[in-house]
Amino acid sequence: MLRRIGLMLTVLAAVGMFTGMAGAEDKKASDEGFVSIFNGKDLTGWDGLGFWSVKDGMIRGQTTKEKPTRGNTFLIWRGGKNKGVMKNFALKLKFRIQNGNSGVQFRSFVKDPKRNKYRVAGYQAEVRNKAGKVGFLYDEARRGWLVNVGDIMEINPTDDGKKFKKEVVGKVSDVKKLIADKYYTDKEWNEYEIICRGNHIAMYLNGYPTVELIDNDKKNRTMEGHLCLQIHAGPPMIVDFKDIRVKTFDVEYGPAVRLFNGKDLTGWTMKDDQKGVWGVKDGAMTDKGKPAGFIATGKDYTNYVLRLQVRHLEKTNSGVLLRATKLDGKWPKCIEAQLMSTRMGDIYNFGEFPMKTDPKRSKGPWCSRAHESNEKPLGQWNEYEITLNKGDLELKVNSLVQNRATDCQVIPGRICLQSEGGPMEFRNIVLIPIVTK
C-alpha cells in the first residue's frame, strides 16, 4: 500500500500542471449530449390547454379563481424524435412553484385520448413547497405514491402476478440531513435531475439524491413515454419551468439487480484471511480495512452501469475493481476505480490491464481524476457511478464525471471491493446491465 501511495504522490506532482486544462474540458463533458427541448420563446413542440404560457424565458402554468382546472392537466412534450416519446434518458430542468401542487411527469401516456387528451398517467417527480416531500416519486393515475424522499425501493409483482408489492430496501439520503442542508429552496429556482435506464430510476434535487427505484412490476410500469408538466386541480396556483434539457442513452439495459441485499454477504466471495474483515451493519457492507485484500461478486460481469454509495470513516484507501480476473494473487488483474480518501475518480491499472487513459494525467498505472476532489467530508455518503460499455469506461463521483478511459479490454470479470488500510462502508450496490449484440 505504501508503494502505491508513493506512486500516487509522484503522479500528482507530475500531472498537476495539466489539471486545470483537463478539468475545464471534462466539466463540459459531464453535460455533453444534453439537448434543450424548450426554446425560451414559445411552446413549439409542447401541447396543452390554455393554462400555459411563456414569460421571461420560462414556461408558466397558472390557474385563477376565474379560470380553474377541474382536474389535473398537463403540458405534454410532443416534439423531437418519436413525437416526444423517450425511453432511456437523463432529464435536467429547473422549477419554481409559488403555491399549490405540481409535478414533472416522465415515461407517461395519455390515459384516455377520446375523453381527455391532456390527462396523463405515469411516473411523477413531486413539485411542491414542502421540504421532505418535494423530491418523492409518485405514479400519477396508476399506482399512486411510490417512493418517499430518502428511500431506495424495489417493486415486485405478487406471486399471482395480479398485484404489486413495494419494499424499501435501503436509504439514499437521510431526510433530516437533507432538510438541514436546505436541499430545497422555497419559492426559488430548484433543479431536478431524473435518470431512467431500463427498470431503474434515480432522482436528484439540487444535486442531492432523493429517491431510487428498481421497478420489476412489468404489468404496471412504463419503460417509455412522454415528458409532461403538471397543473394540479385545486386552489389557484403558479408554477414555472425553465432550462429543460434531455440526454438520451442509445443503448439497451437489462433488469437492474442489487448486488448487495443489505442483510448479509450472500452473492459475495472472499479468501479466508478476509472473513473477519467484511460484515454487515445497519444495511451497509462494512470493511475493517485490515488485512489488505478484497471481496468479490460470485458472478462475472462485462458491460454495465454500477452504482454504489460509499463513505470513509477515516482517511484510508480502497477501490472498486472491474473486470477482475486471476483472483488467486494479492490483487487481481483488473481496472481499479480508486476509492482512496480525496482520490475518488482516479484510475489504477492492476496487472497491465489493456486500456487507454488521458496521457496528460497518467503516469505508469495511475491516471489522476480530471477535477479537484468533490467528495463529501469523512463519515458522509458519496455516490459512485461507474459505466463500462464495451471498451469505454466513465467514472462519476457525486454526479460529476471525474475520469474516462477507452479501449478497455472487453472481458467478463468479477466486481471486487478492496480492504486496504482503514474502515469504510458500502451500500446500495446496484448493477444495471448493458445489453450488447
Side-chain angles (χ1 to χ4, degrees):
M1 181 178 73
L2 292 176
R3 179 177 174 274
R4 291 180 62 210
I5 293 174
L7 176 59
M8 187 272 288
L9 293 174
T10 301
V11 173
L12 293 181
V15 303
M17 67 183 74
F18 298 106
T19 303
M21 291 185 292
E25 293 173 0
D26 216 63
K27 190 169 181 64
K28 292 180 182 178
S30 65
D31 273 339
E32 70 182 0
F34 279 88
V35 176
S36 176
I37 60 172
F38 167 52
N39 63 22
K41 300 176 182 178
D42 56 43
L43 293 176
T44 298
W46 296 84
D47 183 22
L49 293 173
F51 300 101
W52 303 93
S53 63
V54 175
K55 180 179 181 181
D56 299 329
M58 60 189 177
I59 294 176
R60 169 159 290 183
Q62 182 174 8
T63 60
T64 63
K65 281 186 177 181
E66 296 73 27
K67 191 178 180 180
T69 175
R70 296 182 179 179
N72 297 349
T73 189
F74 300 84
L75 182 67
I76 306 171
W77 169 247
R78 299 189 186 277
K81 294 181 180 180
N82 303 318
K83 297 182 180 180
V85 174
M86 295 183 292
K87 188 175 182 179
N88 299 307
F89 60 89
L91 166 69
K92 293 183 180 181
L93 61 74
K94 293 178 182 176
F95 69 87
R96 178 180 64 186
I97 185 167
Q98 300 303 315
N99 54 294
N101 190 324
S102 180
V104 178
Q105 294 284 142
F106 55 98
R107 285 185 173 177
S108 295
F109 59 95
V110 177
K111 195 170 183 180
D112 187 351
K114 292 183 179 180
R115 187 174 181 181
N116 186 345
K117 68 176 184 176
Y118 301 113
R119 182 72 173 96
V120 305
Y123 297 112
Q124 179 189 121
E126 178 72 359
V127 172
R128 71 161 87 171
N129 282 324
K130 190 171 183 180
K133 297 298 181 183
V134 58
F136 79 75
L137 181 61
Y138 188 75
D139 197 357
E140 175 77 13
R142 210 163 46 170
R143 292 173 292 179
W145 196 294
L146 291 184
V147 192
N148 285 321
V149 173
D151 289 346
I152 174 171
M153 176 177 285
E154 189 168 315
I155 301 178
N156 292 296
T158 54
D159 293 338
D160 60 10
K162 295 181 180 180
K163 296 182 180 180
F164 61 92
K165 51 186 178 183
K166 301 185 292 184
E167 181 184 5
V168 176
V169 294
K171 294 291 182 182
V172 297
S173 294
D174 178 82
V175 178
K176 290 182 179 179
K177 189 175 188 312
L178 284 179
I179 296 172
D181 288 345
K182 298 182 179 179
Y183 83 110
Y184 172 74
T185 305
D186 187 23
K187 295 183 174 61
E188 299 293 339
W189 289 107
N190 296 271
E191 184 171 62
Y192 255 133
E193 182 174 10
I194 301 164
I195 303 173
C196 297
R197 298 184 181 101
N199 69 334
H200 182 272
I201 295 170
M203 289 172 30
Y204 304 81
L205 187 55
N206 296 320
Y208 294 91
T210 61
V211 301
E212 192 169 343
L213 172 67
I214 298 173
D215 196 345
N216 293 313
D217 181 13
K218 295 181 180 180
K219 181 179 179 180
N220 294 292
R221 73 187 184 193
T222 46
M223 301 294 279
E224 64 179 23
H226 289 279
L227 165 68
C228 316
L229 308 176
Q230 184 196 56
I231 292 179
H232 204 283
M237 62 168 290
I238 296 176
V239 62
D240 300 318
F241 300 91
K242 68 177 183 179
D243 299 340
I244 307 172
R245 296 157 289 153
V246 174
K247 176 181 181 178
T248 56
F249 303 129
D250 295 325
V251 296
E252 289 293 321
Y253 297 98
V257 293
R258 291 188 298 130
L259 298 184
F260 168 55
N261 63 21
K263 300 175 183 178
D264 55 44
L265 297 177
T266 298
W268 294 81
T269 64
M270 69 194 86
K271 298 176 184 178
D272 288 342
D273 68 346
Q274 291 291 294
K275 290 183 178 179
V277 177
W278 299 90
V280 178
K281 181 180 179 181
D282 299 330
M285 185 185 297
T286 59
D287 165 26
K288 293 181 180 178
K290 297 177 183 178
F294 59 90
I295 188 171
T297 56
K299 297 180 180 179
D300 290 338
Y301 301 94
T302 308
N303 301 299
Y304 50 81
V305 177
L306 177 68
R307 293 170 51 86
L308 68 156
Q309 289 188 322
V310 58
R311 65 177 175 178
H312 302 86
L313 301 182
E314 61 183 49
K315 290 185 177 180
T316 186
N317 196 2
S318 180
V320 184
L321 309 184
L322 314 167
R323 291 182 180 168
T325 58
K326 301 181 180 179
L327 305 184
D328 294 335
K330 175 66 176 177
W331 303 116
K333 181 179 180 179
C334 63
I335 306 167
E336 179 184 5
Q338 185 58 235
L339 275 175
M340 181 185 289
S341 305
T342 74
R343 299 308 312 174
M344 286 182 68
D346 286 9
I347 297 172
Y348 190 87
N349 186 323
F350 274 109
E352 298 183 353
F353 191 98
M355 60 188 299
K356 292 180 181 178
T357 56
D358 188 337
K360 295 180 180 180
R361 292 183 283 112
S362 300
K363 188 175 179 64
W366 204 292
C367 179
S368 180
R369 50 174 166 57
H371 306 287
E372 293 300 317
S373 175
N374 65 324
E375 295 174 38
K376 305 289 181 62
L378 293 178
Q380 294 189 22
W381 290 101
N382 296 278
E383 183 178 89
Y384 218 159
E385 183 176 285
I386 300 165
T387 301
L388 257 178
N389 185 12
K390 297 181 180 177
D392 296 327
L393 170 68
E394 180 184 83
L395 305 183
K396 292 175 73 173
V397 179
N398 296 321
S399 298
L400 174 65
V401 176
Q402 283 284 17
N403 225 327
R404 286 193 171 101
T406 60
D407 297 328
C408 301
Q409 183 181 19
V410 181
I411 182 173
R414 305 295 176 89
I415 296 170
C416 311
L417 304 175
Q418 279 186 316
S419 170
E420 198 176 4
M424 297 186 64
E425 294 183 348
F426 304 84
R427 70 180 187 183
N428 303 339
I429 307 173
V430 175
L431 184 137
I432 310 166
I434 295 176
V435 180
T436 58
K437 296 181 181 179

